[in-house]
Amino acid sequence: MTIIAFHHTEDDLLCIADGLISRGENRVIEQDKKIVLFNPVYKIPKVSMGRFNYFSLYNAGEFGLAYAGNYTLISTIIKNFIERVTRKLVLNRSNNGSPAIYWRDDEGRGMREGRYTDEYNFSDSEIIDVTVNFLANILQEICMSACNDFAINSMSPPDIELLIFGCDNPTHKNPNRAQVLLCKEYKEQQSVIARYSVLPWALTLLGDSSVTPSALSLIESSEEYEKPDCHVESSGWDSECLASKNRNSVRLKREKTIKSEVLRIINNDTGTIGGSCTIATSGWTNKLILKTIRKEGLLKEIDAVNQELAP
């Protein structure tokens, strides 16, 4: 399996994953990167004199995808997902004339044969933002197809845990978002996919269920993992509570506490968790940075984090 830890605020995020791929009790790969960064793109057709002229591109910024579960199934899902969101999305008009993003397996080449009125072109106000929710909708559709295929052919239930995250619109400083998609069951000839949003300031742990509950409890009970003194609304810490604290100091303590415990678990190298470690972070610029720590460097990183946590 795996361990994935994720924590985010409106402006910052931290995602950690181990690097071990195993098959049963056998270790296969120790240096996999279980966090994938990608840049969604969709094509905007431009027409003139009733004919297709060219495509311009809408670049949606950078997003991340972390995964745990059956590696064969996940590899298929990620390959199909990345291909779709980076090559096969095209802005078009629906039957009522409103703009909508469509998936085209021909990557839009078939549009070159069409006839269009000059009113077909899209204004700046009609450009559609790419959000985490939009990407999760596509990911869910691909997961359903792949998981059904897997269950039918392998005669066993699918096993995937996916976390998709990023800033909905970095140009307008929209906050970070994240969603989790899980599929563990196949019932009545259909895969059962659970999906939920991750709240800001809430720690999410995915992966090996024999490890994650105790790790979550240990992290959240730590003195350094500071909790709010006020009521927590359904959307996370309320603004008045956050304003009363040193927001950045609280966030850093929480992130370092998470890193210390998760890196320790990975360094223990037992069961289905181990190998190298991949860490994704972003700050106020919303730029995602990916860092890999090799297995032999984990102890040094743990010592550095613990020294920063020391009073």
Side-chain angles (χ1 to χ4, degrees), residues 40-143:
V41 174
Y42 66 78
K43 300 176 181 179
I44 305 171
K46 303 289 186 178
V47 304
S48 63
M49 299 181 68
R51 300 299 299 269
F52 173 88
N53 195 3
Y54 65 95
F55 284 119
S56 65
L57 297 180
Y58 176 89
N59 293 284
E62 197 166 44
F63 293 81
L65 182 63
Y67 57 84
N70 183 287
Y71 187 68
T72 301
L73 178 55
I74 288 170
S75 297
T76 297
I77 291 170
I78 291 179
K79 180 184 69 176
N80 291 337
F81 174 73
I82 299 297
E83 182 180 58
R84 184 176 299 189
V85 301
T86 61
R87 293 173 50 191
K88 296 186 174 182
L89 299 181
V90 179
L91 188 66
N92 206 340
R93 293 201 181 274
S94 60
N95 291 335
N96 64 8
S98 60
I101 300 174
Y102 292 88
W103 162 48
R104 294 185 62 104
D105 204 33
D106 68 353
E107 302 182 21
R109 287 186 291 269
M111 298 183 69
R112 301 176 187 275
E113 309 302 323
R115 300 289 298 182
Y116 307 90
T117 65
D118 288 343
E119 288 76 21
Y120 175 87
N121 285 319
F122 298 91
S123 65
D124 290 345
S125 64
E126 293 181 301
I127 300 303
I128 299 173
D129 290 335
V130 172
T131 65
V132 166
N133 190 64
F134 170 82
L135 294 170
N137 288 340
I138 297 174
L139 183 59
Q140 181 171 341
E141 179 186 343
I142 292 172
C143 285

Side-chain angles (χ1 to χ4, degrees), residues 123-188:
S123 65
D124 290 345
S125 64
E126 293 181 301
I127 300 303
I128 299 173
D129 290 335
V130 172
T131 65
V132 166
N133 190 64
F134 170 82
L135 294 170
N137 288 340
I138 297 174
L139 183 59
Q140 181 171 341
E141 179 186 343
I142 292 172
C143 285
M144 181 65 74
S145 175
C147 288
N148 286 345
D149 188 17
F150 176 86
I152 291 169
N153 287 286
S154 69
M155 301 297 292
S156 59
D159 180 13
I160 61 168
E161 301 181 25
L162 301 172
L163 170 73
I164 186 167
F165 57 87
C167 182
D168 277 352
N169 189 338
T171 303
H172 295 87
K173 293 296 293 179
N174 282 4
N176 291 313
R177 307 286 188 193
Q179 291 192 27
V180 171
L181 290 87
L182 310 173
C183 186
K184 305 280 189 177
E185 295 180 282
Y186 182 77
K187 291 183 177 180
E188 299 177 355

Side-chain angles (χ1 to χ4, degrees), residues 201 247-257 309:
W201 297 94
R247 181 191 186 105
N248 195 52
S249 175
V250 171
R251 175 187 61 80
L252 287 173
K253 284 183 179 179
R254 290 164 74 94
E255 288 183 352
K256 289 171 184 176
T257 304
L309 279 171

